Amino acid sequence: MQLTKLRSGLSQFQNAISDAYAPILIQSPIADERFKWSFKNYDMQLLSLNNIYCEHGFTGFQEKPTNQASNIVLMSVTKGALCISSGSKVTTCNAGSIVLLDNTSPEMEQSDSTALLSLNIPLKFL
């Protein structure tokens, strides 16, 4: 699966991630206009496949965490690494990792450029 051309803007990346998963706030030491990323969504009616690439480190968290999952996310890290935490549980997802999680209120941290594929599965179908 090919990535789309790189875009600029931290706020646009935040919007793309929020639309695909759940409303999330993203912070980065990289200036908004220098923040490079790519996001491609493939809508398959009941499922959606997301191809994501981000060149820079960031932290992300839900502003209003919820205890009600609406999606299960199957994520494959193809490049780099991503740390996902929920409460006291922290999972480090290195390249080659496959992770299954819900979207209730994870916090994310990425330090280097990372690429991943994720499949969103509505909880009601499991």
Side-chain angles (χ1 to χ4, degrees):
M1 187 172 299
Q2 263 186 334
L3 294 172
T4 58
K5 76 175 197 173
L6 290 180
R7 299 177 187 180
S8 297
L10 179 63
S11 56
Q12 290 84 3
F13 179 67
Q14 176 177 291
N15 291 341
I17 295 296
S18 293
D19 288 345
Y21 300 102
I24 191 167
L25 295 174
I26 295 179
Q27 299 171 338
S28 178
I30 304 300
D32 183 74
E33 66 279 355
R34 292 187 56 231
F35 193 88
K36 303 286 187 204
W37 59 279
S38 174
F39 185 94
K40 181 66 178 161
N41 175 273
Y42 301 91
D43 187 5
M44 300 180 291
Q45 294 181 346
L46 302 177
L47 306 173
S48 68
L49 179 67
N50 299 302
N51 189 12
I52 304 165
Y53 172 76
C54 183
E55 274 193 0
H56 309 287
F58 69 85
T59 57
F61 58 93
Q62 288 184 13
E63 185 175 23
K64 297 178 183 175
T66 177
N67 291 327
Q68 304 252 338
S70 59
N71 290 317
I72 297 296
V73 180
L74 179 62
M75 184 181 299
S76 172
V77 180
T78 57
K79 177 186 176 192
L82 183 69
C83 287
I84 300 171
S85 60
S86 184
S88 63
K89 298 177 184 175
V90 178
T91 302
T92 300
C93 311
N94 294 311
S97 298
I98 295 178
V99 181
L100 184 67
L101 64 135
D102 66 36
N103 68 341
T104 52
S105 60
E107 294 184 10
M108 299 178 290
E109 184 174 349
Q110 175 182 311
S111 56
D112 293 323
S113 63
T114 298
L116 56 94
L117 290 172
S118 72
L119 182 64
N120 292 350
I121 306 163
L123 188 62
K124 63 184 180 182
F125 295 109
L126 294 179

